[in-house]
Amino acid sequence: MKWITREKIKVDRVACPWLIRHFVDPQAEFLFLPHDTDWSKIESGVVFDVPNCELGHNGEDVSFNSILKKYRLSDPALVLLGEIVRAADSRPSNPHPAGEGLRWIAHGFSELGLSDHQILEREFVVYDALYGECKQQVRKTFPRTEEISMFEIASTVR
């Protein structure tokens, strides 16, 4: 499936492809189009993280959170990662402290002069590591994670 978003990726537009490739569509192909694209005219593929799309920002939620909800991804570590992405990509009322570091990393990658696909290739490792740490943090905080919901976890990290 083709997944389509804006070019010049940073936080959410790197986190979403990582999430999609690992948990939604392992064969995903990502297309990065100019910001002035008429997104309503795209008929083939799934549009994400652009204005007025289903898999975009909604209130304080970022596109990563929208994908978690649409595809019913309730892994507590992914929910925690979503809170970090939200803090890095927007200005939520109660940001996760790790968000600022993720924002710095994303902006640093954008300064390297790499293509969007090169950034994905390199930053997926960052998200793999961050997801691993989220799993560790969830295990420490919620040792019986199979018995709690993603909403319980989200309410404790906000």
Side-chain angles (χ1 to χ4, degrees):
M1 171 75 72
K2 289 183 182 177
W3 296 78
I4 306 158
T5 192
R6 297 170 288 144
E7 65 185 356
K8 298 187 181 10
I9 61 176
K10 286 195 180 71
V11 178
D12 209 12
R13 281 174 280 135
V14 174
C16 290
W18 177 87
L19 180 65
I20 291 163
R21 179 78 51 78
H22 284 77
F23 297 95
V24 177
D25 179 1
Q27 304 303 317
E29 177 185 346
F30 299 102
L31 302 175
F32 304 103
L33 302 179
H35 287 256
D36 62 357
T37 298
D38 185 349
W39 305 106
S40 66
K41 301 263 191 233
I42 296 176
E43 297 178 4
S44 177
V46 179
V47 176
F48 68 97
D49 200 36
V50 301
N52 304 313
C53 76
E54 178 184 14
L55 298 177
H57 289 221
N58 183 8
E60 286 194 351
D61 282 349
V62 294
S63 302
F64 191 95
N65 304 121
S66 295
I67 293 169
L68 287 176
K69 288 175 185 170
K70 174 161 175 96
Y71 293 96
R72 296 185 177 119
L73 300 173
S74 59
D75 171 357
L78 285 178
V79 173
L80 177 55
L81 180 54
E83 293 299 313
I84 297 167
V85 170
R86 175 200 324 255
D89 197 60
S90 66
R91 303 282 183 212
S93 56
N94 189 12
H96 191 285
E100 189 64 22
L102 183 58
R103 181 182 350 220
W104 283 31
I105 290 167
H107 286 262
F109 270 97
S110 72
E111 294 296 317
L112 297 177
L114 303 170
S115 73
D116 289 332
H117 287 286
Q118 290 171 321
I119 289 172
L120 282 188
E121 180 183 319
R122 286 159 177 82
E123 266 200 87
F124 272 19
V125 175
V126 172
Y127 282 90
D128 290 339
L130 189 53
Y131 177 56
E133 181 60 19
C134 286
K135 288 194 274 190
Q136 288 291 86
Q137 292 299 320
V138 166
R139 276 190 220 114
K140 286 182 201 173
T141 308
F142 304 100
R144 301 177 73 197
T145 55
E146 68 280 353
E147 296 176 15
I148 59 175
S149 74
M150 70 179 200
F151 301 107
E152 290 173 284
I153 292 169
S155 68
T156 63
V157 294
R158 282 192 184 174

